[in-house]
């Protein structure tokens, strides 16, 4: 069986209109930028709606029972279940960071409720939550979401019924 050898003949491609190539590239670039702006605008609008919604979710004034917990994320999950409401995206991120801070410490494997009293820990979360709900900029939230393609994992899907009088 014979193998075919590549041809050494060169083929010159001559474009009769040099601008058509750059026009096509410009069109593709413009379309990409337009889609990117549209998706960024949509994300900004979602962040604005999210922040406005979170401002209207009331912080509980009564406390349930003492919640045992081994991690900040675990306490956050228990709080969400007990009170039936979401925690702010920024609060969820903060709890994750606090858990990460424990890695490598001498108390890394010690249950967190043996280090910090459960009532103090819960009060701390609600204080942070109040700050995030009432003072965070939707621009800041949107920029964080843009930089994190998995941001939705930290946006709680709990939507309590809001009082229409608020």
């Amino acid at each position: 069986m014979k193998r075919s050898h590549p041809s050494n003949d060169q083929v010159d491609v001559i474009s009769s209109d040099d601008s058509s190539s750059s026009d096509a590239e410009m069109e593709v670039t413009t379309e990409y930028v337009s889609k990117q702006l549209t998706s960024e605008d949509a994300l900004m609008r979602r962040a604005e709606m999210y922040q406005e919604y979170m401002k209207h979710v009331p912080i509980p004034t009564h406390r349930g029972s003492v919640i045992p917990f081994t991690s900040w994320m675990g306490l956050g999950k228990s709080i969400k279940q007990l009170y039936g409401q979401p925690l702010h995206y920024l609060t969820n991120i903060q709890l994750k960071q606090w858990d990460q801070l424990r890695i490598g410490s001498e108390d890394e494997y010690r249950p967190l409720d043996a280090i910090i009293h459960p009532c103090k820990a819960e009060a701390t979360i609600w204080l942070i939550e109040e700050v995030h709900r009432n003072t965070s900029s939707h621009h800041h939230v949107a920029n964080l979401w843009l930089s994190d393609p998995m941001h939705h994992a930290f946006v709680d899907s709990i939507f309590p019924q809001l009082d229409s009088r608020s």
Side-chain angles (χ1 to χ4, degrees):
M1 186 162 152
K2 290 186 179 180
R3 291 186 182 192
S4 62
H5 294 285
S7 170
N8 288 337
D9 298 337
Q10 287 186 340
V11 177
D12 290 333
V13 177
I14 300 172
S15 173
S16 62
D17 184 11
D18 290 339
S19 66
S20 66
S21 173
S22 62
D23 287 347
E25 289 173 8
M26 182 63 120
E27 187 176 313
V28 168
T29 303
T30 304
E31 184 178 323
Y32 172 76
V33 169
S34 176
K35 284 182 181 177
Q36 187 175 3
L37 286 176
T38 302
S39 65
E40 287 179 16
D41 291 342
L43 191 65
M44 184 68 69
R45 181 68 183 130
R46 274 193 316 220
E48 184 177 17
M49 290 169 46
Y50 174 78
Q51 189 62 35
E52 194 59 37
Y53 171 77
M54 290 303 287
K55 282 182 181 180
H56 289 91
V57 178
I59 301 290
T61 55
H62 69 282
R63 298 292 181 255
S65 57
V66 173
I67 305 170
F69 62 103
T70 58
S71 68
W72 287 106
M73 293 284 289
L75 178 58
K77 183 177 180 180
S78 295
I79 285 173
K80 294 171 206 179
Q81 290 173 342
L82 184 65
Y83 296 100
Q85 64 169 267
L87 291 178
H88 196 281
Y89 166 79
L90 295 172
T91 303
N92 286 322
I93 295 296
Q94 184 71 57
L95 297 178
K96 177 184 170 196
Q97 290 171 344
W98 285 350
D99 279 341
Q100 289 172 340
L101 289 173
R102 295 185 66 203
I103 297 172
S105 73
E106 62 185 46
D107 290 327
E108 177 181 358
Y109 298 106
R110 191 170 163 207
L112 198 53
D113 61 359
I115 301 168
I116 300 171
H117 192 280
C119 292
K120 285 182 180 180
E122 183 181 343
T124 299
I125 290 176
W126 285 121
L127 179 60
I128 297 292
E129 181 68 11
E130 187 172 20
V131 170
H132 289 151
R133 286 182 185 182
N134 295 321
T135 66
S136 297
S137 160
H138 70 276
H139 294 284
H140 177 69
V141 172
N143 286 329
L144 290 173
W145 287 357
L146 279 171
S147 67
D148 180 11
M150 296 299 291
H151 70 273
H152 58 274
F154 294 97
V155 176
D156 293 330
S157 59
I158 304 169
F159 299 103
Q161 186 69 32
L162 297 178
D163 187 1
S164 61
R165 292 175 283 168
S166 39

